[in-house]
Amino acid sequence: MNTPELGLPMPVPAAGLPTHVRIHEVGARDGLQNEKATVPTAVKAEFIRRLAGTGLTTIEATSFVHPKWVPQLADAEDLYPQISDLPVSLPVLVPNERGLDRALALGARRVAVFASATESFAKANLNRTVDESLAMFEPVVSRAKGEDDVHVRGYLSMCFGDPWEGPVPVPQVVRVCRALLDMGCDELSLGDTIGVATPGQVTALLAALTEAGVPVSALGVHFHDTYGQALANTLAALQQGVSTVDASAGGLGGCPFAKSATGNLATEDLVWMLRGLGIDTGVDLGRLVATSVWMAAHLGRPSPSRTVRALSHQES
Ligand code: HMG
Ligand code: MG
C-alpha cells in the first residue's frame, strides 16, 4: 500500500485523467493586479524568483497595459529585466500593438491577448466592443507570430457568467474562441472571471468547443474561486482531457474591472489534488506554501488557500 509523505496526500490515481498537468501560475499578474496597495517591484521580483524555485515552469509575470488602467502593474518595464534570466517561461499580457512593442523590446517570448465573451466586460476591460477588441488583437497576434519563437496565448473572459449579463450562452463563447484560434493564437485559456461556473457547465462548454473543431490540447482553464467551485471545475476539465490549468499561489487574485471577481484557484490547492490523483506537476508543495506565506506577510493578510492554511498553521 502507498503511504503518503507527511504533509502530502495519499496518491491514488483515477482513470481517464492526464498523466501530467502544466500549471500556468498567474499570482504575480492576476493576483497582484488586484491588490489595493502597490507591491514594490523588488518584492514582485523576489516573489517570481521564489515561485521559479518551486518547480513551476510557466509564471505569468506582468502586463504591458495602460498604466492608468492597472496602476499595480505600471512597473512592468522595471520588473521584467529583473527576472528575465530565470529558466522558466514568463508570459506577459499585451492588449494592443503598443503593449506588444513594450514587451518585445524587453525580450519577452510569450505574450497573451485577452478577449471577452460578453460585450459588457469587453467595454469595461478594454474600452471596446467584442469585435473591436478582436480587431485590436489581430495585428498583435500576426506580428507576434511573425517573430522567431514567440508563443501567443488568447484569454477569453466571462466564459460562464457575467456580472452584468448573467449566464453566457455557449455559442457566444465558441465564436470568440474560434476567432482567437483562427487569428493564430497557440493556446486559449477559458476564464471563469467571476467564479460562478459549476462542473456540468464546464463539461458542456468543452464538449461544444470540441464539436466546433477546437482541439482540447490547445485549451487551458482559468477558474476564479468565488463560490468554492474551482477545484471541482478543474476536475471536470481534466476529465475532458484538458492538461493546462491556471492557478495563483496562495489564491491571490481578482479583476479590478469585474466587481464580483475574487482570487484564482490557489496553486497549492491544485497541487494537493493533483498529487493525490498521482498526476505529475513538478512542483514542490512545501516550497510553494513557504512562498505564499512569505507573500502573505508582505500583503499583511493571510492566504485564503485552504492548503496553505493547513500546511502552515497560518492564522485566519
Ligand atoms: P484606451 O483608453 O481605449 O486606449 O484603453 P487608446 O487605445 O485609446 O489609447 C489611449 C492612450 O493610451 C494613448 O496615449 C496610448 O498610447 C496609450 P496618448 O496618445 O493619449 O498619450 N496606450 C498605452 N500605453 C501603454 N501601454 C499600452 C497602451 N495602450 C494604449 N499597452 C486599453 C485601451 C486596452 C489600453 C486599456 O483598456 C487597457 O489597458 N486595459 C487593460 C485592462 C486590464 O489589464 N485588465 C486586467 C487583465 S484581464 C483579466 O484579468 C482577466 C483574465 O485574468 C482572465 C479571466 O479571469 O477571465 C486574463
Ligand atoms: Mg483572471
Side-chain angles (χ1 to χ4, degrees), residues 29-30 33 64-67 69-70 93 95-96 98-99 102 114 125-128 155 157 191 193 222 224 255 257:
R29 193 281 304 171
D30 209 348
Q33 79 179 6
F64 291 92
V65 296
H66 195 296
W69 281 66
V70 186
L93 265 56
N96 52 18
R98 177 77 196 282
R102 292 172 59 202
F114 43 103
N125 200 40
L126 294 160
N127 198 25
R128 303 278 187 285
Y155 274 108
S157 288
T193 320
H222 179 105
H224 286 260
C255 179
F257 304 103

